[in-house]
Amino acid sequence: MNAIETKGLTKRYGTYPVVDNLNLKVAKGSICGFLGKNGAGKTTTIKMLTGLARPDSGTISLSGTVRKYGSSNNSNIGYLPDVPNFYGYMTAREYLNFCGKLYAVEGKKLKARIDGLLKQAGLFNIHKNISAFSRGMKQRLGIAQALINEPDIIFLDEPISALDPVGRNEVMALIRSLRGNITVFFSTHILTDVENTCDHVLILEKGRVLADDTMVDLRQKHAENAALLRLYTPDDGNRFLALAQRQNDLTVESQSPVEFILRADNFYALGKRISFLLTEADIAMERFQAYTPSLDDIFLKVTGGAASE
């Protein structure tokens, strides 16, 4: 079952399509990374999915139910905006108590829910006011409030922006702890966190989906019969590069003076070919292995690499 599904979702500002005929499918219980350059339409998409912006056309289905703009029933979703605001004079417990009551969660059920979320967010023994929290603590509290109503899906818009490495790791650990129980849909510019955390990846560019796949399949599709070769010295690298560039059916991309990405039409014959060339040139090989592109490589390839205007 898909937790999130859209068909033909479109949003224009004037005549410009910020989100253009968007068709998404996100499986229940997965963690989905939503990527794109600035201005790609990520925040607008999330606002439509959460009911904060009206689509011009298309449909949205969350947990199997078609959602209409203006619906008062948001009990099965949670949301953390890109710039969350908190009541700084409250403690984390007071804030979650306030948020829970907005969803009509009361009494012992609310207390148990707050206790569980504070433990999950690593804030159970923190009694100071939110105004004294670090950014990472505030983001973890923000995720906790998005979970207070026990939603099926939570939407997180740039939950790790402006965090230091410690805060980022804490927030990502909290997101990973939700896998399988809640569908997490979050946007970010930090691709390594998506690569290390997400089951599914969506890449948006100018309001259109350029990539929509599992992390495993996305890597396989972009491997392109490639291998990584590492030599021992820059001199070996220069001699190999001069030799390889004379081969019409071999593409070489330098990663460093001693490391190269090699591509050929026949991957299985590539190893024998490189071994032969190195033996003929008396060049020692430190490492030769199948090349798996990083999410950064894939992102730059599918988006063209240039920054949005």
mmCIF file of all heavy atoms in Angstrom, residues 138-182:
data_model
loop_
_atom_site.group_PDB
_atom_site.id
_atom_site.type_symbol
_atom_site.label_atom_id
_atom_site.label_comp_id
_atom_site.label_asym_id
_atom_site.label_seq_id
_atom_site.Cartn_x
_atom_site.Cartn_y
_atom_site.Cartn_z
ATOM 1 N N LYS A 138 15.915 21.531 19.441
ATOM 2 C CA LYS A 138 14.648 22.085 18.944
ATOM 3 C C LYS A 138 14.100 21.258 17.781
ATOM 4 O O LYS A 138 12.885 21.022 17.697
ATOM 5 C CB LYS A 138 14.841 23.537 18.514
ATOM 6 C CG LYS A 138 15.014 24.511 19.666
ATOM 7 C CD LYS A 138 15.219 25.939 19.173
ATOM 8 C CE LYS A 138 15.371 26.907 20.336
ATOM 9 N NZ LYS A 138 15.622 28.294 19.870
ATOM 10 N N GLN A 139 14.973 20.814 16.898
ATOM 11 C CA GLN A 139 14.508 20.008 15.770
ATOM 12 C C GLN A 139 13.975 18.661 16.236
ATOM 13 O O GLN A 139 12.980 18.157 15.718
ATOM 14 C CB GLN A 139 15.628 19.816 14.744
ATOM 15 C CG GLN A 139 16.003 21.075 13.969
ATOM 16 C CD GLN A 139 14.839 21.623 13.158
ATOM 17 O OE1 GLN A 139 13.955 22.293 13.669
ATOM 18 N NE2 GLN A 139 14.832 21.338 11.862
ATOM 19 N N ARG A 140 14.632 18.061 17.230
ATOM 20 C CA ARG A 140 14.124 16.792 17.774
ATOM 21 C C ARG A 140 12.774 17.003 18.458
ATOM 22 O O ARG A 140 11.875 16.172 18.341
ATOM 23 C CB ARG A 140 15.145 16.191 18.737
ATOM 24 C CG ARG A 140 16.327 15.533 18.021
ATOM 25 C CD ARG A 140 17.283 14.894 18.997
ATOM 26 N NE ARG A 140 18.193 15.861 19.576
ATOM 27 C CZ ARG A 140 18.555 15.896 20.854
ATOM 28 N NH1 ARG A 140 18.047 15.017 21.706
ATOM 29 N NH2 ARG A 140 19.411 16.791 21.291
ATOM 30 N N LEU A 141 12.636 18.125 19.141
ATOM 31 C CA LEU A 141 11.339 18.454 19.735
ATOM 32 C C LEU A 141 10.299 18.683 18.643
ATOM 33 O O LEU A 141 9.140 18.265 18.776
ATOM 34 C CB LEU A 141 11.467 19.701 20.613
ATOM 35 C CG LEU A 141 10.169 20.215 21.250
ATOM 36 C CD1 LEU A 141 9.534 19.160 22.151
ATOM 37 C CD2 LEU A 141 10.430 21.512 22.018
ATOM 38 N N GLY A 142 10.716 19.315 17.555
ATOM 39 C CA GLY A 142 9.794 19.540 16.437
ATOM 40 C C GLY A 142 9.292 18.242 15.838
ATOM 41 O O GLY A 142 8.110 18.122 15.485
ATOM 42 N N ILE A 143 10.172 17.253 15.731
ATOM 43 C CA ILE A 143 9.744 15.948 15.222
ATOM 44 C C ILE A 143 8.814 15.280 16.223
ATOM 45 O O ILE A 143 7.810 14.657 15.845
ATOM 46 C CB ILE A 143 10.965 15.061 14.913
ATOM 47 C CG1 ILE A 143 11.778 15.676 13.759
ATOM 48 C CG2 ILE A 143 10.526 13.644 14.540
ATOM 49 C CD1 ILE A 143 13.080 14.962 13.466
ATOM 50 N N ALA A 144 9.118 15.438 17.514
ATOM 51 C CA ALA A 144 8.246 14.866 18.549
ATOM 52 C C ALA A 144 6.838 15.462 18.458
ATOM 53 O O ALA A 144 5.846 14.730 18.572
ATOM 54 C CB ALA A 144 8.841 15.107 19.930
ATOM 55 N N GLN A 145 6.733 16.781 18.245
ATOM 56 C CA GLN A 145 5.392 17.368 18.132
ATOM 57 C C GLN A 145 4.682 16.882 16.885
ATOM 58 O O GLN A 145 3.456 16.763 16.864
ATOM 59 C CB GLN A 145 5.449 18.900 18.188
ATOM 60 C CG GLN A 145 6.058 19.617 16.992
ATOM 61 C CD GLN A 145 5.162 19.719 15.779
ATOM 62 O OE1 GLN A 145 3.931 19.725 15.906
ATOM 63 N NE2 GLN A 145 5.778 19.790 14.604
ATOM 64 N N ALA A 146 5.439 16.583 15.822
ATOM 65 C CA ALA A 146 4.819 16.059 14.600
ATOM 66 C C ALA A 146 4.276 14.652 14.809
ATOM 67 O O ALA A 146 3.440 14.186 14.034
ATOM 68 C CB ALA A 146 5.832 16.066 13.454
ATOM 69 N N LEU A 147 4.744 13.992 15.880
ATOM 70 C CA LEU A 147 4.321 12.615 16.171
ATOM 71 C C LEU A 147 3.282 12.528 17.283
ATOM 72 O O LEU A 147 2.796 11.436 17.583
ATOM 73 C CB LEU A 147 5.542 11.780 16.573
ATOM 74 C CG LEU A 147 6.625 11.574 15.506
ATOM 75 C CD1 LEU A 147 7.872 10.988 16.149
ATOM 76 C CD2 LEU A 147 6.122 10.681 14.395
ATOM 77 N N ILE A 148 2.932 13.659 17.891
ATOM 78 C CA ILE A 148 2.099 13.637 19.091
ATOM 79 C C ILE A 148 0.736 13.007 18.854
ATOM 80 O O ILE A 148 0.153 12.388 19.745
ATOM 81 C CB ILE A 148 1.938 15.075 19.661
ATOM 82 C CG1 ILE A 148 1.345 15.047 21.079
ATOM 83 C CG2 ILE A 148 1.105 15.943 18.733
ATOM 84 C CD1 ILE A 148 2.251 14.478 22.117
ATOM 85 N N ASN A 149 0.205 13.128 17.646
ATOM 86 C CA ASN A 149 -1.133 12.601 17.338
ATOM 87 C C ASN A 149 -1.092 11.194 16.746
ATOM 88 O O ASN A 149 -2.079 10.725 16.186
ATOM 89 C CB ASN A 149 -1.848 13.537 16.359
ATOM 90 C CG ASN A 149 -1.073 13.748 15.073
ATOM 91 O OD1 ASN A 149 0.142 13.922 15.106
ATOM 92 N ND2 ASN A 149 -1.745 13.749 13.938
ATOM 93 N N GLU A 150 0.072 10.528 16.850
ATOM 94 C CA GLU A 150 0.251 9.177 16.315
ATOM 95 C C GLU A 150 -0.131 9.093 14.831
ATOM 96 O O GLU A 150 -0.958 8.289 14.432
ATOM 97 C CB GLU A 150 -0.555 8.159 17.125
ATOM 98 C CG GLU A 150 -0.140 8.083 18.583
ATOM 99 C CD GLU A 150 -0.899 7.028 19.351
ATOM 100 O OE1 GLU A 150 -1.979 7.351 19.886
ATOM 101 O OE2 GLU A 150 -0.415 5.881 19.416
ATOM 102 N N PRO A 151 0.515 9.905 14.004
ATOM 103 C CA PRO A 151 0.150 9.946 12.583
ATOM 104 C C PRO A 151 0.662 8.736 11.812
ATOM 105 O O PRO A 151 1.575 8.030 12.257
ATOM 106 C CB PRO A 151 0.842 11.225 12.086
ATOM 107 C CG PRO A 151 2.057 11.329 12.960
ATOM 108 C CD PRO A 151 1.622 10.829 14.313
ATOM 109 N N ASP A 152 0.087 8.527 10.633
ATOM 110 C CA ASP A 152 0.586 7.511 9.707
ATOM 111 C C ASP A 152 1.798 8.028 8.934
ATOM 112 O O ASP A 152 2.682 7.260 8.548
ATOM 113 C CB ASP A 152 -0.492 7.118 8.694
ATOM 114 C CG ASP A 152 -1.731 6.569 9.350
ATOM 115 O OD1 ASP A 152 -1.589 5.850 10.352
ATOM 116 O OD2 ASP A 152 -2.848 6.858 8.874
ATOM 117 N N ILE A 153 1.809 9.342 8.676
ATOM 118 C CA ILE A 153 2.828 9.963 7.819
ATOM 119 C C ILE A 153 3.295 11.248 8.497
ATOM 120 O O ILE A 153 2.476 12.004 9.032
ATOM 121 C CB ILE A 153 2.252 10.337 6.442
ATOM 122 C CG1 ILE A 153 1.527 9.155 5.802
ATOM 123 C CG2 ILE A 153 3.344 10.866 5.516
ATOM 124 C CD1 ILE A 153 0.608 9.559 4.655
ATOM 125 N N ILE A 154 4.613 11.501 8.465
ATOM 126 C CA ILE A 154 5.084 12.818 8.867
ATOM 127 C C ILE A 154 5.875 13.443 7.724
ATOM 128 O O ILE A 154 6.608 12.757 7.000
ATOM 129 C CB ILE A 154 5.921 12.800 10.157
ATOM 130 C CG1 ILE A 154 7.200 11.974 10.015
ATOM 131 C CG2 ILE A 154 5.086 12.340 11.333
ATOM 132 C CD1 ILE A 154 8.162 12.182 11.190
ATOM 133 N N PHE A 155 5.688 14.740 7.562
ATOM 134 C CA PHE A 155 6.371 15.532 6.543
ATOM 135 C C PHE A 155 7.342 16.472 7.249
ATOM 136 O O PHE A 155 6.947 17.246 8.122
ATOM 137 C CB PHE A 155 5.363 16.338 5.727
ATOM 138 C CG PHE A 155 4.392 15.495 4.953
ATOM 139 C CD1 PHE A 155 3.161 15.158 5.504
ATOM 140 C CD2 PHE A 155 4.696 15.045 3.678
ATOM 141 C CE1 PHE A 155 2.256 14.380 4.795
ATOM 142 C CE2 PHE A 155 3.798 14.262 2.959
ATOM 143 C CZ PHE A 155 2.573 13.933 3.523
ATOM 144 N N LEU A 156 8.610 16.402 6.862
ATOM 145 C CA LEU A 156 9.658 17.204 7.483
ATOM 146 C C LEU A 156 10.338 18.022 6.396
ATOM 147 O O LEU A 156 10.951 17.466 5.478
ATOM 148 C CB LEU A 156 10.687 16.305 8.182
ATOM 149 C CG LEU A 156 10.133 15.236 9.134
ATOM 150 C CD1 LEU A 156 11.271 14.344 9.645
ATOM 151 C CD2 LEU A 156 9.389 15.871 10.295
ATOM 152 N N ASP A 157 10.223 19.336 6.486
ATOM 153 C CA ASP A 157 10.795 20.230 5.476
ATOM 154 C C ASP A 157 12.131 20.758 5.988
ATOM 155 O O ASP A 157 12.180 21.588 6.888
ATOM 156 C CB ASP A 157 9.821 21.375 5.200
ATOM 157 C CG ASP A 157 10.174 22.153 3.935
ATOM 158 O OD1 ASP A 157 11.182 21.809 3.281
ATOM 159 O OD2 ASP A 157 9.443 23.101 3.601
ATOM 160 N N GLU A 158 13.214 20.263 5.432
ATOM 161 C CA GLU A 158 14.579 20.640 5.807
ATOM 162 C C GLU A 158 14.814 20.496 7.320
ATOM 163 O O GLU A 158 15.212 21.449 8.000
ATOM 164 C CB GLU A 158 14.860 22.099 5.381
ATOM 165 C CG GLU A 158 14.812 22.348 3.896
ATOM 166 C CD GLU A 158 16.019 21.798 3.154
ATOM 167 O OE1 GLU A 158 16.983 21.370 3.820
ATOM 168 O OE2 GLU A 158 16.001 21.789 1.919
ATOM 169 N N PRO A 159 14.611 19.303 7.876
ATOM 170 C CA PRO A 159 14.747 19.152 9.330
ATOM 171 C C PRO A 159 16.170 19.241 9.843
ATOM 172 O O PRO A 159 16.380 19.353 11.060
ATOM 173 C CB PRO A 159 14.168 17.756 9.579
ATOM 174 C CG PRO A 159 14.438 17.014 8.313
ATOM 175 C CD PRO A 159 14.244 18.031 7.228
ATOM 176 N N ILE A 160 17.168 19.177 8.956
ATOM 177 C CA ILE A 160 18.559 19.204 9.416
ATOM 178 C C ILE A 160 19.321 20.413 8.901
ATOM 179 O O ILE A 160 20.531 20.485 9.023
ATOM 180 C CB ILE A 160 19.297 17.905 9.021
ATOM 181 C CG1 ILE A 160 19.076 17.572 7.553
ATOM 182 C CG2 ILE A 160 18.859 16.745 9.898
ATOM 183 C CD1 ILE A 160 19.784 16.331 7.086
ATOM 184 N N SER A 161 18.596 21.386 8.339
ATOM 185 C CA SER A 161 19.265 22.588 7.859
ATOM 186 C C SER A 161 19.813 23.382 9.040
ATOM 187 O O SER A 161 19.212 23.444 10.103
ATOM 188 C CB SER A 161 18.286 23.452 7.057
ATOM 189 O OG SER A 161 17.234 23.893 7.876
ATOM 190 N N ALA A 162 20.988 23.944 8.854
ATOM 191 C CA ALA A 162 21.635 24.816 9.844
ATOM 192 C C ALA A 162 22.054 24.096 11.124
ATOM 193 O O ALA A 162 22.365 24.740 12.122
ATOM 194 C CB ALA A 162 20.728 26.001 10.200
ATOM 195 N N LEU A 163 22.094 22.769 11.104
ATOM 196 C CA LEU A 163 22.543 22.033 12.284
ATOM 197 C C LEU A 163 24.032 21.708 12.176
ATOM 198 O O LEU A 163 24.555 21.474 11.079
ATOM 199 C CB LEU A 163 21.763 20.725 12.441
ATOM 200 C CG LEU A 163 20.267 20.829 12.718
ATOM 201 C CD1 LEU A 163 19.683 19.437 12.911
ATOM 202 C CD2 LEU A 163 19.984 21.694 13.928
ATOM 203 N N ASP A 164 24.700 21.671 13.326
ATOM 204 C CA ASP A 164 26.086 21.220 13.327
ATOM 205 C C ASP A 164 26.100 19.691 13.198
ATOM 206 O O ASP A 164 25.045 19.042 13.282
ATOM 207 C CB ASP A 164 26.818 21.692 14.585
ATOM 208 C CG ASP A 164 26.222 21.153 15.880
ATOM 209 O OD1 ASP A 164 25.607 20.072 15.862
ATOM 210 O OD2 ASP A 164 26.363 21.823 16.915
ATOM 211 N N PRO A 165 27.271 19.080 12.962
ATOM 212 C CA PRO A 165 27.304 17.631 12.741
ATOM 213 C C PRO A 165 26.694 16.816 13.874
ATOM 214 O O PRO A 165 26.041 15.796 13.633
ATOM 215 C CB PRO A 165 28.805 17.343 12.587
ATOM 216 C CG PRO A 165 29.365 18.611 12.037
ATOM 217 C CD PRO A 165 28.586 19.708 12.704
ATOM 218 N N VAL A 166 26.889 17.256 15.123
ATOM 219 C CA VAL A 166 26.324 16.513 16.251
ATOM 220 C C VAL A 166 24.801 16.568 16.208
ATOM 221 O O VAL A 166 24.106 15.546 16.321
ATOM 222 C CB VAL A 166 26.849 17.062 17.591
ATOM 223 C CG1 VAL A 166 26.120 16.396 18.758
ATOM 224 C CG2 VAL A 166 28.349 16.837 17.717
ATOM 225 N N GLY A 167 24.255 17.772 16.039
ATOM 226 C CA GLY A 167 22.805 17.922 15.971
ATOM 227 C C GLY A 167 22.205 17.173 14.805
ATOM 228 O O GLY A 167 21.129 16.581 14.910
ATOM 229 N N ARG A 168 22.907 17.203 13.673
ATOM 230 C CA ARG A 168 22.418 16.507 12.481
ATOM 231 C C ARG A 168 22.355 15.005 12.711
ATOM 232 O O ARG A 168 21.371 14.350 12.362
ATOM 233 C CB ARG A 168 23.345 16.814 11.304
ATOM 234 C CG ARG A 168 22.702 16.662 9.943
ATOM 235 C CD ARG A 168 23.664 17.019 8.858
ATOM 236 N NE ARG A 168 24.415 15.872 8.418
ATOM 237 C CZ ARG A 168 25.702 15.887 8.089
ATOM 238 N NH1 ARG A 168 26.385 16.995 8.173
ATOM 239 N NH2 ARG A 168 26.300 14.790 7.686
ATOM 240 N N ASN A 169 23.387 14.458 13.328
ATOM 241 C CA ASN A 169 23.400 13.023 13.610
ATOM 242 C C ASN A 169 22.284 12.632 14.565
ATOM 243 O O ASN A 169 21.662 11.575 14.418
ATOM 244 C CB ASN A 169 24.759 12.610 14.192
ATOM 245 C CG ASN A 169 25.865 12.611 13.152
ATOM 246 O OD1 ASN A 169 25.589 12.505 11.962
ATOM 247 N ND2 ASN A 169 27.094 12.732 13.602
ATOM 248 N N GLU A 170 22.015 13.481 15.553
ATOM 249 C CA GLU A 170 20.950 13.187 16.511
ATOM 250 C C GLU A 170 19.582 13.178 15.829
ATOM 251 O O GLU A 170 18.752 12.292 16.078
ATOM 252 C CB GLU A 170 20.964 14.235 17.632
ATOM 253 C CG GLU A 170 22.166 14.136 18.553
ATOM 254 C CD GLU A 170 22.267 15.288 19.519
ATOM 255 O OE1 GLU A 170 21.564 16.315 19.316
ATOM 256 O OE2 GLU A 170 23.039 15.179 20.483
ATOM 257 N N VAL A 171 19.356 14.154 14.959
ATOM 258 C CA VAL A 171 18.062 14.231 14.264
ATOM 259 C C VAL A 171 17.912 13.061 13.304
ATOM 260 O O VAL A 171 16.844 12.433 13.223
ATOM 261 C CB VAL A 171 17.919 15.579 13.528
ATOM 262 C CG1 VAL A 171 16.700 15.569 12.609
ATOM 263 C CG2 VAL A 171 17.797 16.716 14.534
ATOM 264 N N MET A 172 18.981 12.723 12.582
ATOM 265 C CA MET A 172 18.888 11.616 11.634
ATOM 266 C C MET A 172 18.689 10.285 12.361
ATOM 267 O O MET A 172 17.982 9.403 11.860
ATOM 268 C CB MET A 172 20.131 11.557 10.750
ATOM 269 C CG MET A 172 20.272 12.727 9.781
ATOM 270 S SD MET A 172 18.774 13.053 8.799
ATOM 271 C CE MET A 172 18.551 11.489 7.971
ATOM 272 N N ALA A 173 19.292 10.128 13.532
ATOM 273 C CA ALA A 173 19.072 8.903 14.319
ATOM 274 C C ALA A 173 17.607 8.798 14.726
ATOM 275 O O ALA A 173 17.019 7.699 14.707
ATOM 276 C CB ALA A 173 19.970 8.902 15.550
ATOM 277 N N LEU A 174 16.990 9.919 15.082
ATOM 278 C CA LEU A 174 15.576 9.922 15.433
ATOM 279 C C LEU A 174 14.720 9.553 14.225
ATOM 280 O O LEU A 174 13.776 8.744 14.338
ATOM 281 C CB LEU A 174 15.180 11.299 15.971
ATOM 282 C CG LEU A 174 13.699 11.510 16.324
ATOM 283 C CD1 LEU A 174 13.212 10.444 17.296
ATOM 284 C CD2 LEU A 174 13.493 12.909 16.890
ATOM 285 N N ILE A 175 15.050 10.087 13.061
ATOM 286 C CA ILE A 175 14.301 9.760 11.839
ATOM 287 C C ILE A 175 14.428 8.272 11.521
ATOM 288 O O ILE A 175 13.440 7.602 11.203
ATOM 289 C CB ILE A 175 14.792 10.631 10.666
ATOM 290 C CG1 ILE A 175 14.365 12.093 10.882
ATOM 291 C CG2 ILE A 175 14.241 10.115 9.327
ATOM 292 C CD1 ILE A 175 14.932 13.062 9.867
ATOM 293 N N ARG A 176 15.638 7.733 11.637
ATOM 294 C CA ARG A 176 15.833 6.308 11.344
ATOM 295 C C ARG A 176 15.045 5.414 12.297
ATOM 296 O O ARG A 176 14.604 4.329 11.919
ATOM 297 C CB ARG A 176 17.326 5.964 11.395
ATOM 298 C CG ARG A 176 18.120 6.438 10.201
ATOM 299 C CD ARG A 176 19.511 5.838 10.182
ATOM 300 N NE ARG A 176 20.349 6.390 11.229
ATOM 301 C CZ ARG A 176 21.104 7.480 11.100
ATOM 302 N NH1 ARG A 176 21.107 8.148 9.948
ATOM 303 N NH2 ARG A 176 21.845 7.916 12.098
ATOM 304 N N SER A 177 14.846 5.879 13.531
ATOM 305 C CA SER A 177 14.115 5.071 14.512
ATOM 306 C C SER A 177 12.644 4.905 14.147
ATOM 307 O O SER A 177 11.963 4.037 14.696
ATOM 308 C CB SER A 177 14.230 5.705 15.902
ATOM 309 O OG SER A 177 13.419 6.873 16.016
ATOM 310 N N LEU A 178 12.157 5.707 13.210
ATOM 311 C CA LEU A 178 10.747 5.651 12.822
ATOM 312 C C LEU A 178 10.480 4.651 11.697
ATOM 313 O O LEU A 178 9.328 4.350 11.394
ATOM 314 C CB LEU A 178 10.277 7.041 12.368
ATOM 315 C CG LEU A 178 10.464 8.182 13.379
ATOM 316 C CD1 LEU A 178 10.068 9.508 12.760
ATOM 317 C CD2 LEU A 178 9.670 7.923 14.644
ATOM 318 N N ARG A 179 11.545 4.123 11.069
ATOM 319 C CA ARG A 179 11.393 3.243 9.908
ATOM 320 C C ARG A 179 10.494 2.051 10.218
ATOM 321 O O ARG A 179 10.598 1.409 11.246
ATOM 322 C CB ARG A 179 12.745 2.736 9.443
ATOM 323 C CG ARG A 179 12.657 1.716 8.312
ATOM 324 C CD ARG A 179 13.997 1.239 7.811
ATOM 325 N NE ARG A 179 14.569 2.211 6.891
ATOM 326 C CZ ARG A 179 15.628 2.954 7.164
ATOM 327 N NH1 ARG A 179 16.228 2.838 8.337
ATOM 328 N NH2 ARG A 179 16.085 3.821 6.290
ATOM 329 N N GLY A 180 9.566 1.808 9.300
ATOM 330 C CA GLY A 180 8.681 0.661 9.405
ATOM 331 C C GLY A 180 7.411 0.935 10.163
ATOM 332 O O GLY A 180 6.407 0.247 9.956
ATOM 333 N N ASN A 181 7.429 1.924 11.040
ATOM 334 C CA ASN A 181 6.242 2.248 11.832
ATOM 335 C C ASN A 181 5.468 3.434 11.269
ATOM 336 O O ASN A 181 4.240 3.458 11.313
ATOM 337 C CB ASN A 181 6.655 2.553 13.282
ATOM 338 C CG ASN A 181 7.312 1.371 13.959
ATOM 339 O OD1 ASN A 181 6.812 0.260 13.880
ATOM 340 N ND2 ASN A 181 8.442 1.612 14.609
ATOM 341 N N ILE A 182 6.200 4.409 10.767
ATOM 342 C CA ILE A 182 5.608 5.641 10.250
ATOM 343 C C ILE A 182 6.285 5.963 8.922
ATOM 344 O O ILE A 182 7.500 5.766 8.766
ATOM 345 C CB ILE A 182 5.820 6.802 11.242
ATOM 346 C CG1 ILE A 182 5.044 6.535 12.537
ATOM 347 C CG2 ILE A 182 5.381 8.135 10.644
ATOM 348 C CD1 ILE A 182 5.372 7.493 13.640
#
